[in-house]
Amino acid sequence: MRGAFEGIKVLDFSWLIAGPMLTAYFADHGATVIKVENSVFPDPIRSFAPYKDGLKGVNRSGSFVQWNNSKHSITLNLKHPKGAETILRLVSWADVVVESYGVGGMERWELGYERLREVNPSLVMLRISLLGQTGSSADFKGYGYHAQALSGVVDLTGWPDRPPVPTSYPYADIVAPWFGIMALIAALFERNETGKGQCIDLNLYETTLRCLEPAIVLYSTGKKGCGRQGNRSPYGAPHGAFPCSGEDSWCAVAVFTEEEWQNLVKAMGNPEWTYDSKFKDFKSRKINEDEVDSLLGAWIKKFSSHDLMHLLQRHGISAGVVQNAREVHEDPQLEHRNHFVSLDHPEIGECRHQTWPAKFSKTPCRIRRHAPCLGQHNRHVFTNILGFSEEEFIELGRSGVID
Amino acid sequence: MVMLSQQRVLDLSDHWGSYCGVFLAELGFEVIKVEKPGGDPLRWYGPYWQDDINPEKSLVWFAFNRGKKGITLRLDSPRGKNIFAELTRKIDFVIESSPPGAMQKLGLNYERLSKIDPKIILVSITPFGQTGPYSDYKASDIVIQALGGTMYSVGDEGRPPVRISMPLSYIRGGMHGAVGALTALYYRERSMEGQHVDVSVHEDAARVLCFELPCWEYEKQITPRLGVKRVRGNVQQGVVWPCKDGYVAWSLMGGVGAAKGVRAMLDWMKYEGKAGLLSGIEVGPRGLDLAAMSQQDCDIWDKIAGEFFLSHTKRELFEMAREHDMYICSVNTVEEVLGDEHLEGRGFWYPLHHDNLGETVTYCGPFYRSTEQTPSTRLRAPLIGEHNHEIYTGVLGLSQQEVTSLRNDGII
């Protein structure tokens, strides 16, 4: 079966998470993605733990594997006098260039949009930055968690009586790529229609803000939002994460309608406390929510998190185990979706690569190759893809353009 | 983008998929929301414009349906089904988020729709996907955040895992629907074939977990909940810090790239006489080697930085950080986001006039800019049946009498 993006050629200068996730999506759906790295300064995520067997190495990082499915890796010295010339050959080959060096980053090597489009007028360039290519704060240097903080997501995470908390993952890094994919596909349509390329300004701040839009609409119409609510919701009661039997084991339970409340009462075996008028309807349960939580919690803690989830689901109640990473790896629904694909990696051995949330009936994603070793595809890219002769390729290596 | 603006979408989805149409509408697609006569249940979720409980004034409805046209149709009646089948010939996409099996019961599953039009693209957005052991499980945002693993390592020690207090799962579901729709459209342009796109919001949550999944796979470590801190390599570091007028985000960083900023921050602390035990330290051009630092070393930095932040406002810290690459930024509240000069300067806020309210409501602006075109929304969320006449006569070619008859019979 063909991939949806078969034939699309992507030159990928991005690193860390946002850009690489986006290009991995295209690669798994058929695009040829060449990841431009450098032996002295490879993608920094190659130096992020965890490592296979705890041994550091540029090809041993599990964090790198997560975001680099199906790509080719080349190593180029962009500072070499002939480096730029070689890169421009790749730019001519490409349909798309993706970068995430921040404002002015590509310009340092004279590879800004104006230069690239001289060489390839129908090129689509996607530039990922934290706060945008322009604007009063565009010069701020930061990472995904900064965009998360600026966008209001951090302020909305945590307990009302405690400081806000970050998430353990950089939220903004896994929002922006999806909007980037939409922008890129729209640009490819434009190019197919008109032959024109374009330069896209995508940033982590504004894309994360799009996920907060309901709150923005609320505030802009004079309403005050609820701020950090812990695990509560203005639309449900009970609504929270309850401790189950077992250490640090929790299950989320969310009841929104009267029918769901009756289902929960039934699941609990119709305990007397539920007949108290204090809990007779949503409004009353909201007023007495602390007490609801306490009484419900006393019943819940007898169960394991998984048993509770299945029991409540059988009764038509929204419930889900608060899964840790091990449980996510073992999740039967994710297994059914073939979310984790094990591939053999030359240095790591067998390792899991992740697929994507949308499954396509005619063009399913296919992980073409494991996350690449540093510079693994120099020969293949320069000789097979770009058509350099063997002598030219050897010369590139000897002269240090390929490093 | 002529090609995209020729695409027509029928949106049957509820809150799980509603944002799909919002994003597609911004890219120029004609998105038609299909509601049951009387209005979609989402219209009954407040808060409401000026607290006026009215199905045309739900702020939730506004946010989840901007950019769309609206028609009404009873899909569970034979006549309604026929009309839908006829509409299918005039459209390119159906977006739906009903429980798996429901579309089949209505006779509107992919097999049937593709017989009417092989080019049709059906995008189904559900909590867990169309098939599998959890496919008929009930979910809400907290359940997705829980099962996806994104709650477990968030929150204070000694308290339950905590979710982000925003129903992000629904917007993410819509986002993936839009990505899926565009991917399928790209394939269709070459192949003339549509397909079924099956989105699982739960599977997206698993993709959100960045370091936690490899930490289990490679080191059999479970990332702990550390409140305002996080684990980086072998140490725990602070991330969120109280300052004079709120909170800022900052973490001690190592390496060449961060050297300038760490040195500048240390110099600033020294200048104000607040460097304490760090007063004798110099940061070289290669920066700090975090991997070589003990937890105690990191704690010293964190303690001194934490005290330093308390004597400065968010604005002071952010502005110095910008100038010297110190990697400190404000933890903005939503109000502060709305007042951000940077966003104002970029023209990010998008005012849409609501003629029915006589007022303008502010929405978020485009999710990208481009040298060629920038996406935009032209329409506010539709009123109940607002475009019945336009779509049923204009697109489907029914006569006015037929439309009146359908309305009288409660089909629309």
Side-chain angles (χ1 to χ4, degrees):
Chain A
M1 289 199 202
R2 305 187 65 187
F5 301 121
E6 216 77 51
I8 297 287
K9 296 167 281 181
V10 180
L11 188 61
D12 181 11
F13 290 88
S14 70
W15 61 22
L16 294 175
I17 295 170
M21 181 199 219
L22 180 155
T23 54
Y25 178 84
F26 278 91
D28 282 352
H29 290 91
T32 303
V33 175
I34 296 176
K35 185 180 177 78
V36 180
E37 299 191 78
N38 176 284
S39 293
V40 177
F41 296 112
D43 186 336
I45 208 166
R46 287 184 183 275
S47 62
F48 280 39
Y51 301 100
K52 175 69 176 177
D53 299 329
L55 292 171
K56 275 196 208 175
V58 288
N59 297 320
R60 304 180 70 81
S61 162
S63 298
F64 181 79
V65 170
Q66 261 200 319
W67 309 111
N68 290 281
N69 300 357
S70 300
K71 300 178 197 175
H72 302 88
S73 167
I74 63 172
T75 46
L76 281 186
N77 181 1
L78 292 180
K79 291 187 195 160
H80 190 284
K82 290 197 134 194
E85 180 189 306
T86 312
I87 275 285
L88 292 176
R89 288 255 312 241
L90 283 159
V91 170
S92 302
W93 162 87
D95 299 304
V96 174
V97 164
V98 177
E99 67 93 4
S100 62
Y101 292 137
V103 178
M106 291 290 273
E107 281 77 3
R108 250 185 303 148
W109 297 303
E110 291 169 37
L111 294 173
Y113 178 59
E114 290 309 319
R115 181 73 186 103
L116 297 192
R117 83 164 167 177
E118 276 170 22
V119 162
N120 185 345
S122 63
L123 182 75
V124 175
M125 186 178 193
L126 176 67
R127 312 198 69 167
I128 304 173
S129 61
L130 203 70
L131 303 180
Q133 295 290 325
T134 58
S136 56
S137 301
D139 54 352
F140 175 77
K141 282 220 170 78
Y143 290 97
Y145 73 92
H146 291 106
Q148 191 178 343
L150 285 168
S151 69
V153 171
V154 173
D155 189 66
L156 288 172
T157 312
W159 302 93
D161 62 334
R162 294 268 181 100
V165 293
T167 53
S168 50
Y169 42 87
Y171 193 81
D173 278 278
I174 43 71
V175 173
W178 297 108
F179 290 104
I181 292 169
M182 291 188 225
L184 251 185
I185 298 174
L188 287 171
F189 275 118
E190 177 77 18
R191 195 184 78 146
N192 292 350
E193 248 178 272
T194 65
K196 284 166 101 171
Q198 59 185 275
C199 184
I200 299 167
D201 169 4
L202 180 87
N203 67 83
L204 270 58
Y205 184 19
E206 289 173 347
T207 47
T208 304
L209 268 181
R210 292 305 305 262
C211 292
L212 256 61
E213 187 163 62
I216 298 288
V217 170
L218 238 69
Y219 275 88
S220 78
T221 52
K223 294 244 159 288
K224 289 252 167 264
C226 306
R228 292 190 285 292
Q229 302 164 60
N231 288 321
R232 292 212 165 149
S233 159
Y235 300 107
H239 188 284
F242 295 87
C244 302
S245 72
E247 198 186 318
D248 204 17
S249 176
W250 307 81
C251 189
V253 179
V255 168
F256 298 97
T257 65
E258 287 310 316
E259 186 189 340
E260 287 167 351
W261 170 251
Q262 291 307 327
N263 290 345
L264 179 60
V265 169
K266 194 168 162 212
M268 290 192 280
N270 298 296
E272 219 173 294
W273 68 265
T274 57
Y275 292 100
D276 193 320
S277 62
K278 273 192 281 190
F279 313 120
K280 69 177 191 308
D281 56 20
F282 171 71
K283 203 166 155 194
S284 316
R285 288 193 293 274
K286 217 47 187 146
I287 293 167
N288 298 298
E289 198 165 4
D290 286 348
E291 210 177 331
V292 173
D293 284 355
S294 172
L295 290 161
L296 176 61
W299 175 76
I300 281 178
K301 71 178 187 211
K302 297 180 293 203
F303 294 90
S304 76
S305 54
H306 288 267
D307 284 349
L308 182 76
M309 170 176 74
H310 296 311
L311 169 69
L312 292 182
Q313 287 286 356
R314 279 199 301 275
H315 283 82
I317 300 153
S318 296
V321 173
V322 179
Q323 300 204 112
N324 61 28
R326 175 184 60 76
E327 290 166 309
V328 173
H329 270 288
E330 294 170 1
D331 184 307
Q333 181 64 16
L334 291 176
E335 197 189 314
H336 174 82
R337 301 269 300 179
N338 295 318
H339 181 73
F340 294 104
V341 173
S342 279
L343 295 176
D344 216 13
H345 184 286
E347 277 203 44
I348 295 175
E350 195 177 299
C351 57
R352 293 188 132 190
H353 292 60
Q354 291 177 263
T355 58
W356 308 98
K359 304 298 187 212
F360 297 89
S361 62
K362 300 247 174 77
T363 57
C365 95
R366 190 169 58 86
I367 302 183
R368 270 104 173 118
R369 60 189 65 80
H370 57 76
C373 294
L374 184 61
Q376 180 177 350
H377 302 97
N378 280 328
R379 174 179 291 280
H380 171 67
V381 166
F382 285 100
T383 59
N384 294 338
I385 294 182
L386 281 190
F388 281 67
S389 70
E390 184 69 22
E391 291 75 28
E392 285 171 311
F393 172 66
I394 290 169
E395 178 55 26
L396 283 174
R398 196 202 58 76
S399 65
V401 174
I402 295 176
D403 70 354
Chain B
M1 288 179 287
V2 174
M3 200 243 140
L4 294 185
S5 63
Q6 287 167 346
Q7 303 302 317
R8 190 177 276 139
V9 180
L10 280 182
D11 178 8
L12 306 179
S13 69
D14 63 11
H15 52 285
W16 285 103
S18 216
Y19 253 92
C20 176
V22 171
F23 299 132
L24 294 178
E26 271 177 270
L27 291 172
F29 288 55
E30 183 186 5
V31 180
I32 303 163
K33 183 83 179 181
V34 180
E35 305 180 59
K36 62 179 210 255
D40 188 281
L42 196 64
R43 291 175 176 276
W44 296 105
Y45 279 79
Y48 292 87
W49 171 263
Q50 291 177 353
D51 295 323
D52 179 2
I53 299 177
N54 178 318
E56 305 287 21
K57 298 190 180 177
S58 156
L59 296 174
V60 175
W61 176 260
F62 289 172
F64 275 71
N65 290 284
R66 60 134 143 166
K68 302 179 193 174
K69 295 180 179 170
I71 62 174
T72 49
L73 185 62
R74 265 197 68 195
L75 280 175
D76 58 353
S77 70
R79 257 168 99 195
K81 282 202 222 311
N82 284 342
I83 291 183
F84 190 87
E86 287 305 307
L87 271 173
T88 302
R89 293 179 211 284
K90 309 280 186 182
I91 54 125
D92 302 278
F93 296 85
V94 174
I95 317 283
E96 65 90 16
S97 58
S98 53
M103 289 293 274
Q104 188 164 11
K105 281 206 189 86
L106 284 174
L108 299 174
N109 57 338
Y110 180 68
E111 207 187 306
R112 297 285 295 272
L113 291 176
S114 59
K115 283 206 173 66
I116 300 173
D117 182 1
K119 289 178 71 177
I120 203 124
I121 294 168
L122 174 65
V123 180
S124 299
I125 303 164
T126 55
F128 301 105
Q130 294 295 301
T131 58
Y134 295 172
S135 61
D136 56 1
Y137 272 19
K138 259 190 151 175
S140 67
D141 174 75
I142 194 175
V143 166
I144 295 295
Q145 288 199 38
L147 276 168
T150 54
M151 264 174 81
Y152 188 85
S153 48
V154 181
D156 294 304
E157 289 175 84
R159 285 211 176 173
V162 77
R163 73 169 186 139
I164 300 173
S165 296
M166 267 295 300
L168 297 164
S169 302
Y170 310 134
I171 298 165
R172 293 189 71 92
M175 192 173 72
H176 285 290
V179 167
L182 285 161
T183 304
L185 181 64
Y186 198 81
Y187 174 67
R188 191 183 79 179
E189 286 311 293
R190 287 205 314 268
S191 66
M192 309 306 267
E193 285 183 341
Q195 60 183 310
H196 189 189
V197 183
D198 170 7
V199 174
S200 158
V201 187
H202 167 238
E203 194 166 0
D204 166 57
R207 216 36 176 118
V208 165
L209 274 191
C210 294
F211 305 110
E212 297 80 353
L213 289 179
C215 277
W216 175 257
E217 184 181 349
Y218 294 83
E219 292 181 342
K220 295 297 180 267
Q221 299 278 359
I222 295 292
T223 307
R225 281 191 297 291
L226 296 174
V228 293
K229 295 186 176 196
R230 65 174 180 187
V231 173
R232 274 298 167 264
N234 300 321
V235 294
Q236 296 179 2
Q237 298 182 297
V239 181
V240 172
W241 305 89
C243 65
K244 206 168 180 182
D245 61 347
Y247 299 93
V248 288
W250 168 83
S251 278
L252 182 66
M253 302 212 329
V256 166
K260 174 187 167 202
V262 175
R263 187 182 318 120
M265 188 169 138
L266 183 57
D267 285 346
W268 189 13
M269 294 195 291
K270 286 176 183 175
Y271 177 76
E272 295 196 355
K274 297 194 165 97
L277 286 173
L278 298 173
S279 303
I281 298 209
E282 296 293 333
V283 177
R286 299 201 66 84
L288 298 175
D289 183 359
L290 275 192
M293 284 172 72
S294 66
Q295 185 63 60
Q296 196 179 20
D297 293 331
C298 286
D299 288 346
I300 290 171
W301 275 90
D302 273 5
K303 181 165 189 292
I304 289 167
E307 279 163 8
F308 176 70
F309 293 141
L310 284 171
S311 58
H312 290 280
T313 62
K314 290 192 215 195
R315 198 182 179 92
E316 284 166 0
L317 290 165
F318 185 47
E319 279 175 7
M320 278 297 263
R322 271 180 45 210
E323 211 185 309
H324 300 283
D325 297 342
M326 292 180 191
Y327 294 91
I328 311 167
C329 77
S330 340
V331 171
N332 280 339
T333 61
V334 177
E335 280 134 329
E336 287 168 335
V337 168
L338 280 165
D340 185 349
E341 297 151 3
H342 170 82
L343 294 172
E344 193 76 50
R346 277 176 64 84
F348 180 68
W349 302 115
Y350 195 80
L352 257 184
H353 187 66
H354 280 246
D355 45 330
N356 57 325
L357 306 173
E359 292 277 355
T360 297
V361 177
T362 300
Y363 295 84
C364 288
F367 53 87
Y368 74 96
R369 309 294 165 91
S370 157
T371 49
E372 275 305 302
Q373 78 291 321
T374 287
S376 70
T377 304
R378 291 169 305 284
L379 304 173
R380 48 146 177 78
L383 306 175
I384 300 172
E386 185 172 354
H387 299 89
N388 277 347
H389 179 83
E390 178 190 321
I391 302 301
Y392 287 121
T393 62
V395 173
L396 204 52
L398 299 183
S399 69
Q400 184 54 58
Q401 290 93 315
E402 284 169 305
V403 173
T404 307
S405 156
L406 287 169
R407 187 178 298 118
N408 290 341
D409 294 342
I411 306 296
I412 69 173

